[in-house]
Amino acid sequence: EVQLVESGGGLVQPGGSLRLSCAASGFTFSSFRMYWVRQALGKGLEWVSTISTGSSAYYSNSVRGRFTISRNNAKNTLYLQLNSLKTEDTAMYYCVRAEEYCTVSCPLRPPQSQGTQVTVSS
């Protein structure tokens, strides 16, 4: 059974940082592209970042230069480092296993995991 468990969210002031983690199990993590999506309250899903199996990274315009995606295949874990956070980054963040080739704007399917909440507020 595929399982993705996000953690690391929290409340942070504007300009602050967080590191999100996504623990994967039930599949060969190293063989799949992975990506992060987010959903702000009352809004639709938004693609954030994708990482290939070879660790090539892609970012949305809204987070490029502030967020960094990475993966540790030995630990079956995906990460998202969030720096210079803005109030508009407030959202529930989900990690997703890519079911097809994608780099930017990966498919926005209903998340199958619980997500981790990031709240940016002073």
Side-chain angles (χ1 to χ4, degrees), residues 12-85:
V12 63
Q13 292 186 340
S17 298
L18 285 172
R19 189 194 196 200
L20 307 185
S21 298
C22 170
S25 61
F27 64 101
T28 304
F29 178 74
S30 60
S31 297
F32 285 86
R33 289 180 171 246
M34 300 291 297
Y35 57 100
W36 290 93
V37 301
R38 65 186 180 184
Q39 187 168 27
L41 192 63
K43 297 188 177 181
L45 287 168
E46 176 190 9
W47 170 76
V48 175
S49 180
T50 301
I51 188 166
S52 71
T53 56
S55 292
S56 294
Y58 307 86
Y59 301 96
S60 69
N61 290 337
S62 61
V63 308
R64 186 177 296 111
R66 301 188 298 120
F67 292 7
T68 303
I69 191 171
S70 62
R71 64 192 302 161
N72 185 326
N73 290 334
K75 294 185 176 181
N76 291 339
T77 303
L78 177 71
Y79 302 100
L80 188 67
Q81 178 69 40
L82 287 61
N83 295 332
S84 303
L85 281 161

